[in-house]
Amino acid sequence: MAEQIILKESMLHEDSVKNIRVNADFFSDGRSYVSEHWAWEGTTNVTYYFAADGIEENQSALEEYLVSVGKLIAKEDHYMGIMTLDVEGVKVYSVTVTVGQEDTLYCEARM
C-alpha cells in the first residue's frame, strides 16, 4: 500500500499562478493524493501529487495509471509534465496535465 502524503505549502505554485481549487482524497486503488486545479498564462492545468510506490517513472505508465483510477479519460490528448519530489523521505510524483489553453480544450482531468 502506498504511503499517505500530506500537502505542503512548498508543493503549490507561486503567487503568479491562479490556484482555483485544491482537493485531497484517495484514488480508487486506495492511494492518497492531492490534486490542484490552477491556471497560468492562458493555460488551465490539474496537478496530481501522489506516492510513487510501484508506478514506473515514465509518461506512458503514469498516464495509464491516471486513466485506470478514473482521473483521465482514455484516448484523449494528455499533455503532461512530470516531476519527482521528495516529501519527508517519500518519493512523490507531481504530474501536471494541461487541460486547455485559451479556447482549446485538450482533455478532461477530474479532481
Side-chain angles (χ1 to χ4, degrees):
M1 177 59 125
E3 295 187 50
Q4 288 209 17
I5 60 172
I6 298 171
L7 179 66
K8 302 222 178 246
E9 191 69 31
S10 62
M11 291 172 66
L12 297 177
H13 300 278
E14 299 173 5
D15 292 337
S16 63
V17 173
K18 181 182 178 193
N19 189 328
I20 298 169
R21 184 173 154 216
V22 174
N23 182 48
D25 205 346
F26 294 89
F27 288 131
S28 60
D29 68 353
R31 183 184 307 258
S32 66
Y33 75 93
V34 173
S35 58
E36 178 188 16
H37 182 198
W38 56 281
W40 183 67
E41 291 190 357
T43 64
T44 301
N45 309 280
V46 174
T47 299
Y48 301 98
Y49 302 93
F50 54 95
D53 294 350
I55 302 174
E56 209 174 311
E57 189 174 341
N58 68 57
Q59 181 168 337
S60 179
L62 290 165
E63 180 179 25
E64 184 178 309
Y65 176 74
L66 290 171
V67 167
S68 76
V69 295
K71 296 302 173 188
L72 300 178
I73 297 172
K75 300 186 193 241
E76 288 186 332
D77 291 325
H78 301 124
Y79 300 105
M80 298 170 54
I82 300 163
M83 291 177 45
T84 303
L85 310 171
D86 182 305
V87 179
E88 298 178 1
V90 176
K91 182 179 175 182
V92 172
Y93 289 135
S94 167
V95 180
T96 298
V97 179
T98 299
V99 175
Q101 185 171 16
E102 300 295 336
D103 293 331
T104 305
L105 180 65
Y106 301 127
C107 68
E108 182 177 336
R110 298 181 178 113
M111 294 287 290

mmCIF file with all atom_site columns, all heavy atoms in Angstrom, residues 17-22 36-39 43-45 111:
data_model
loop_
_atom_site.group_PDB
_atom_site.id
_atom_site.type_symbol
_atom_site.label_atom_id
_atom_site.label_alt_id
_atom_site.label_comp_id
_atom_site.label_asym_id
_atom_site.label_entity_id
_atom_site.label_seq_id
_atom_site.pdbx_PDB_ins_code
_atom_site.Cartn_x
_atom_site.Cartn_y
_atom_site.Cartn_z
_atom_site.occupancy
_atom_site.B_iso_or_equiv
_atom_site.pdbx_formal_charge
_atom_site.auth_seq_id
_atom_site.auth_comp_id
_atom_site.auth_asym_id
_atom_site.auth_atom_id
_atom_site.pdbx_PDB_model_num
ATOM 1   N N   . VAL A 1 17  ? 0.627   32.196 -10.046 1.00 0.00 ? 17  VAL A N   1
ATOM 2   C CA  . VAL A 1 17  ? -0.285  31.170 -10.542 1.00 0.00 ? 17  VAL A CA  1
ATOM 3   C C   . VAL A 1 17  ? -1.629  31.327 -9.854  1.00 0.00 ? 17  VAL A C   1
ATOM 4   O O   . VAL A 1 17  ? -1.706  31.508 -8.648  1.00 0.00 ? 17  VAL A O   1
ATOM 5   C CB  . VAL A 1 17  ? 0.299   29.761 -10.253 1.00 0.00 ? 17  VAL A CB  1
ATOM 6   C CG1 . VAL A 1 17  ? -0.698  28.683 -10.590 1.00 0.00 ? 17  VAL A CG1 1
ATOM 7   C CG2 . VAL A 1 17  ? 1.589   29.563 -11.019 1.00 0.00 ? 17  VAL A CG2 1
ATOM 8   N N   . LYS A 1 18  ? -2.695  31.272 -10.647 1.00 0.00 ? 18  LYS A N   1
ATOM 9   C CA  . LYS A 1 18  ? -4.034  31.374 -10.077 1.00 0.00 ? 18  LYS A CA  1
ATOM 10  C C   . LYS A 1 18  ? -4.475  29.981 -9.626  1.00 0.00 ? 18  LYS A C   1
ATOM 11  O O   . LYS A 1 18  ? -4.793  29.120 -10.444 1.00 0.00 ? 18  LYS A O   1
ATOM 12  C CB  . LYS A 1 18  ? -5.014  31.937 -11.098 1.00 0.00 ? 18  LYS A CB  1
ATOM 13  C CG  . LYS A 1 18  ? -6.422  32.078 -10.532 1.00 0.00 ? 18  LYS A CG  1
ATOM 14  C CD  . LYS A 1 18  ? -7.384  32.591 -11.560 1.00 0.00 ? 18  LYS A CD  1
ATOM 15  C CE  . LYS A 1 18  ? -8.768  32.653 -10.959 1.00 0.00 ? 18  LYS A CE  1
ATOM 16  N NZ  . LYS A 1 18  ? -9.800  32.845 -11.968 1.00 0.00 ? 18  LYS A NZ  1
ATOM 17  N N   . ASN A 1 19  ? -4.471  29.757 -8.310  1.00 0.00 ? 19  ASN A N   1
ATOM 18  C CA  . ASN A 1 19  ? -4.901  28.486 -7.747  1.00 0.00 ? 19  ASN A CA  1
ATOM 19  C C   . ASN A 1 19  ? -6.430  28.506 -7.697  1.00 0.00 ? 19  ASN A C   1
ATOM 20  O O   . ASN A 1 19  ? -7.023  29.333 -7.034  1.00 0.00 ? 19  ASN A O   1
ATOM 21  C CB  . ASN A 1 19  ? -4.312  28.319 -6.350  1.00 0.00 ? 19  ASN A CB  1
ATOM 22  C CG  . ASN A 1 19  ? -4.532  26.935 -5.808  1.00 0.00 ? 19  ASN A CG  1
ATOM 23  O OD1 . ASN A 1 19  ? -5.527  26.295 -6.112  1.00 0.00 ? 19  ASN A OD1 1
ATOM 24  N ND2 . ASN A 1 19  ? -3.611  26.482 -5.001  1.00 0.00 ? 19  ASN A ND2 1
ATOM 25  N N   . ILE A 1 20  ? -7.062  27.602 -8.400  1.00 0.00 ? 20  ILE A N   1
ATOM 26  C CA  . ILE A 1 20  ? -8.522  27.584 -8.498  1.00 0.00 ? 20  ILE A CA  1
ATOM 27  C C   . ILE A 1 20  ? -9.135  26.685 -7.429  1.00 0.00 ? 20  ILE A C   1
ATOM 28  O O   . ILE A 1 20  ? -10.111 27.046 -6.796  1.00 0.00 ? 20  ILE A O   1
ATOM 29  C CB  . ILE A 1 20  ? -8.960  27.131 -9.913  1.00 0.00 ? 20  ILE A CB  1
ATOM 30  C CG1 . ILE A 1 20  ? -8.425  28.141 -10.951 1.00 0.00 ? 20  ILE A CG1 1
ATOM 31  C CG2 . ILE A 1 20  ? -10.475 27.000 -10.003 1.00 0.00 ? 20  ILE A CG2 1
ATOM 32  C CD1 . ILE A 1 20  ? -8.553  27.691 -12.380 1.00 0.00 ? 20  ILE A CD1 1
ATOM 33  N N   . ARG A 1 21  ? -8.524  25.509 -7.215  1.00 0.00 ? 21  ARG A N   1
ATOM 34  C CA  . ARG A 1 21  ? -9.084  24.563 -6.245  1.00 0.00 ? 21  ARG A CA  1
ATOM 35  C C   . ARG A 1 21  ? -8.039  23.511 -5.874  1.00 0.00 ? 21  ARG A C   1
ATOM 36  O O   . ARG A 1 21  ? -7.260  23.096 -6.726  1.00 0.00 ? 21  ARG A O   1
ATOM 37  C CB  . ARG A 1 21  ? -10.296 23.882 -6.863  1.00 0.00 ? 21  ARG A CB  1
ATOM 38  C CG  . ARG A 1 21  ? -11.024 22.945 -5.950  1.00 0.00 ? 21  ARG A CG  1
ATOM 39  C CD  . ARG A 1 21  ? -12.304 22.451 -6.590  1.00 0.00 ? 21  ARG A CD  1
ATOM 40  N NE  . ARG A 1 21  ? -12.639 21.170 -6.019  1.00 0.00 ? 21  ARG A NE  1
ATOM 41  C CZ  . ARG A 1 21  ? -13.176 20.173 -6.667  1.00 0.00 ? 21  ARG A CZ  1
ATOM 42  N NH1 . ARG A 1 21  ? -13.478 20.295 -7.931  1.00 0.00 ? 21  ARG A NH1 1
ATOM 43  N NH2 . ARG A 1 21  ? -13.452 19.048 -6.068  1.00 0.00 ? 21  ARG A NH2 1
ATOM 44  N N   . VAL A 1 22  ? -8.047  23.094 -4.628  1.00 0.00 ? 22  VAL A N   1
ATOM 45  C CA  . VAL A 1 22  ? -7.178  22.019 -4.158  1.00 0.00 ? 22  VAL A CA  1
ATOM 46  C C   . VAL A 1 22  ? -8.065  20.954 -3.533  1.00 0.00 ? 22  VAL A C   1
ATOM 47  O O   . VAL A 1 22  ? -9.026  21.264 -2.829  1.00 0.00 ? 22  VAL A O   1
ATOM 48  C CB  . VAL A 1 22  ? -6.142  22.532 -3.129  1.00 0.00 ? 22  VAL A CB  1
ATOM 49  C CG1 . VAL A 1 22  ? -5.340  21.382 -2.550  1.00 0.00 ? 22  VAL A CG1 1
ATOM 50  C CG2 . VAL A 1 22  ? -5.223  23.562 -3.762  1.00 0.00 ? 22  VAL A CG2 1
ATOM 51  N N   . GLU A 1 36  ? -4.495  19.689 -7.615  1.00 0.00 ? 36  GLU A N   1
ATOM 52  C CA  . GLU A 1 36  ? -4.556  21.146 -7.630  1.00 0.00 ? 36  GLU A CA  1
ATOM 53  C C   . GLU A 1 36  ? -4.985  21.589 -9.021  1.00 0.00 ? 36  GLU A C   1
ATOM 54  O O   . GLU A 1 36  ? -4.353  21.250 -10.013 1.00 0.00 ? 36  GLU A O   1
ATOM 55  C CB  . GLU A 1 36  ? -3.170  21.707 -7.295  1.00 0.00 ? 36  GLU A CB  1
ATOM 56  C CG  . GLU A 1 36  ? -3.111  23.215 -7.340  1.00 0.00 ? 36  GLU A CG  1
ATOM 57  C CD  . GLU A 1 36  ? -1.697  23.749 -7.187  1.00 0.00 ? 36  GLU A CD  1
ATOM 58  O OE1 . GLU A 1 36  ? -0.731  22.985 -7.346  1.00 0.00 ? 36  GLU A OE1 1
ATOM 59  O OE2 . GLU A 1 36  ? -1.577  24.951 -6.910  1.00 0.00 ? 36  GLU A OE2 1
ATOM 60  N N   . HIS A 1 37  ? -6.073  22.339 -9.101  1.00 0.00 ? 37  HIS A N   1
ATOM 61  C CA  . HIS A 1 37  ? -6.563  22.911 -10.353 1.00 0.00 ? 37  HIS A CA  1
ATOM 62  C C   . HIS A 1 37  ? -6.058  24.340 -10.386 1.00 0.00 ? 37  HIS A C   1
ATOM 63  O O   . HIS A 1 37  ? -6.320  25.109 -9.469  1.00 0.00 ? 37  HIS A O   1
ATOM 64  C CB  . HIS A 1 37  ? -8.097  22.858 -10.345 1.00 0.00 ? 37  HIS A CB  1
ATOM 65  C CG  . HIS A 1 37  ? -8.741  23.374 -11.581 1.00 0.00 ? 37  HIS A CG  1
ATOM 66  N ND1 . HIS A 1 37  ? -10.054 23.730 -11.604 1.00 0.00 ? 37  HIS A ND1 1
ATOM 67  C CD2 . HIS A 1 37  ? -8.278  23.609 -12.825 1.00 0.00 ? 37  HIS A CD2 1
ATOM 68  C CE1 . HIS A 1 37  ? -10.377 24.153 -12.806 1.00 0.00 ? 37  HIS A CE1 1
ATOM 69  N NE2 . HIS A 1 37  ? -9.305  24.080 -13.560 1.00 0.00 ? 37  HIS A NE2 1
ATOM 70  N N   . TRP A 1 38  ? -5.298  24.699 -11.424 1.00 0.00 ? 38  TRP A N   1
ATOM 71  C CA  . TRP A 1 38  ? -4.677  26.021 -11.462 1.00 0.00 ? 38  TRP A CA  1
ATOM 72  C C   . TRP A 1 38  ? -4.554  26.529 -12.888 1.00 0.00 ? 38  TRP A C   1
ATOM 73  O O   . TRP A 1 38  ? -4.682  25.772 -13.847 1.00 0.00 ? 38  TRP A O   1
ATOM 74  C CB  . TRP A 1 38  ? -3.312  25.988 -10.768 1.00 0.00 ? 38  TRP A CB  1
ATOM 75  C CG  . TRP A 1 38  ? -2.329  24.983 -11.312 1.00 0.00 ? 38  TRP A CG  1
ATOM 76  C CD1 . TRP A 1 38  ? -2.311  23.642 -11.047 1.00 0.00 ? 38  TRP A CD1 1
ATOM 77  C CD2 . TRP A 1 38  ? -1.253  25.232 -12.206 1.00 0.00 ? 38  TRP A CD2 1
ATOM 78  N NE1 . TRP A 1 38  ? -1.274  23.046 -11.717 1.00 0.00 ? 38  TRP A NE1 1
ATOM 79  C CE2 . TRP A 1 38  ? -0.597  23.996 -12.426 1.00 0.00 ? 38  TRP A CE2 1
ATOM 80  C CE3 . TRP A 1 38  ? -0.757  26.373 -12.816 1.00 0.00 ? 38  TRP A CE3 1
ATOM 81  C CZ2 . TRP A 1 38  ? 0.506   23.882 -13.256 1.00 0.00 ? 38  TRP A CZ2 1
ATOM 82  C CZ3 . TRP A 1 38  ? 0.354   26.262 -13.644 1.00 0.00 ? 38  TRP A CZ3 1
ATOM 83  C CH2 . TRP A 1 38  ? 0.969   25.021 -13.852 1.00 0.00 ? 38  TRP A CH2 1
ATOM 84  N N   . ALA A 1 39  ? -4.330  27.840 -13.002 1.00 0.00 ? 39  ALA A N   1
ATOM 85  C CA  . ALA A 1 39  ? -4.197  28.476 -14.310 1.00 0.00 ? 39  ALA A CA  1
ATOM 86  C C   . ALA A 1 39  ? -2.968  29.376 -14.312 1.00 0.00 ? 39  ALA A C   1
ATOM 87  O O   . ALA A 1 39  ? -2.610  29.958 -13.288 1.00 0.00 ? 39  ALA A O   1
ATOM 88  C CB  . ALA A 1 39  ? -5.441  29.292 -14.620 1.00 0.00 ? 39  ALA A CB  1
ATOM 89  N N   . THR A 1 43  ? -3.196  28.974 -19.734 1.00 0.00 ? 43  THR A N   1
ATOM 90  C CA  . THR A 1 43  ? -3.419  27.526 -19.688 1.00 0.00 ? 43  THR A CA  1
ATOM 91  C C   . THR A 1 43  ? -4.170  27.166 -18.412 1.00 0.00 ? 43  THR A C   1
ATOM 92  O O   . THR A 1 43  ? -4.026  27.818 -17.388 1.00 0.00 ? 43  THR A O   1
ATOM 93  C CB  . THR A 1 43  ? -2.102  26.714 -19.713 1.00 0.00 ? 43  THR A CB  1
ATOM 94  O OG1 . THR A 1 43  ? -1.346  27.005 -18.544 1.00 0.00 ? 43  THR A OG1 1
ATOM 95  C CG2 . THR A 1 43  ? -1.296  27.007 -20.958 1.00 0.00 ? 43  THR A CG2 1
ATOM 96  N N   . THR A 1 44  ? -4.964  26.124 -18.498 1.00 0.00 ? 44  THR A N   1
ATOM 97  C CA  . THR A 1 44  ? -5.649  25.560 -17.338 1.00 0.00 ? 44  THR A CA  1
ATOM 98  C C   . THR A 1 44  ? -5.070  24.171 -17.130 1.00 0.00 ? 44  THR A C   1
ATOM 99  O O   . THR A 1 44  ? -4.944  23.389 -18.087 1.00 0.00 ? 44  THR A O   1
ATOM 100 C CB  . THR A 1 44  ? -7.168  25.472 -17.576 1.00 0.00 ? 44  THR A CB  1
ATOM 101 O OG1 . THR A 1 44  ? -7.651  26.791 -17.835 1.00 0.00 ? 44  THR A OG1 1
ATOM 102 C CG2 . THR A 1 44  ? -7.889  24.905 -16.370 1.00 0.00 ? 44  THR A CG2 1
ATOM 103 N N   . ASN A 1 45  ? -4.697  23.861 -15.878 1.00 0.00 ? 45  ASN A N   1
ATOM 104 C CA  . ASN A 1 45  ? -3.975  22.628 -15.569 1.00 0.00 ? 45  ASN A CA  1
ATOM 105 C C   . ASN A 1 45  ? -4.533  21.964 -14.317 1.00 0.00 ? 45  ASN A C   1
ATOM 106 O O   . ASN A 1 45  ? -5.130  22.627 -13.475 1.00 0.00 ? 45  ASN A O   1
ATOM 107 C CB  . ASN A 1 45  ? -2.496  22.948 -15.311 1.00 0.00 ? 45  ASN A CB  1
ATOM 108 C CG  . ASN A 1 45  ? -1.895  23.788 -16.406 1.00 0.00 ? 45  ASN A CG  1
ATOM 109 O OD1 . ASN A 1 45  ? -1.526  23.273 -17.444 1.00 0.00 ? 45  ASN A OD1 1
ATOM 110 N ND2 . ASN A 1 45  ? -1.806  25.097 -16.199 1.00 0.00 ? 45  ASN A ND2 1
ATOM 111 N N   . MET A 1 111 ? -10.787 16.026 -10.562 1.00 0.00 ? 111 MET A N   1
ATOM 112 C CA  . MET A 1 111 ? -10.099 16.338 -9.312  1.00 0.00 ? 111 MET A CA  1
ATOM 113 C C   . MET A 1 111 ? -10.161 15.144 -8.378  1.00 0.00 ? 111 MET A C   1
ATOM 114 O O   . MET A 1 111 ? -9.373  14.957 -7.535  1.00 0.00 ? 111 MET A O   1
ATOM 115 C CB  . MET A 1 111 ? -10.710 17.544 -8.628  1.00 0.00 ? 111 MET A CB  1
ATOM 116 C CG  . MET A 1 111 ? -10.535 18.846 -9.402  1.00 0.00 ? 111 MET A CG  1
ATOM 117 S SD  . MET A 1 111 ? -8.875  19.475 -9.358  1.00 0.00 ? 111 MET A SD  1
ATOM 118 C CE  . MET A 1 111 ? -8.717  19.988 -7.665  1.00 0.00 ? 111 MET A CE  1
#
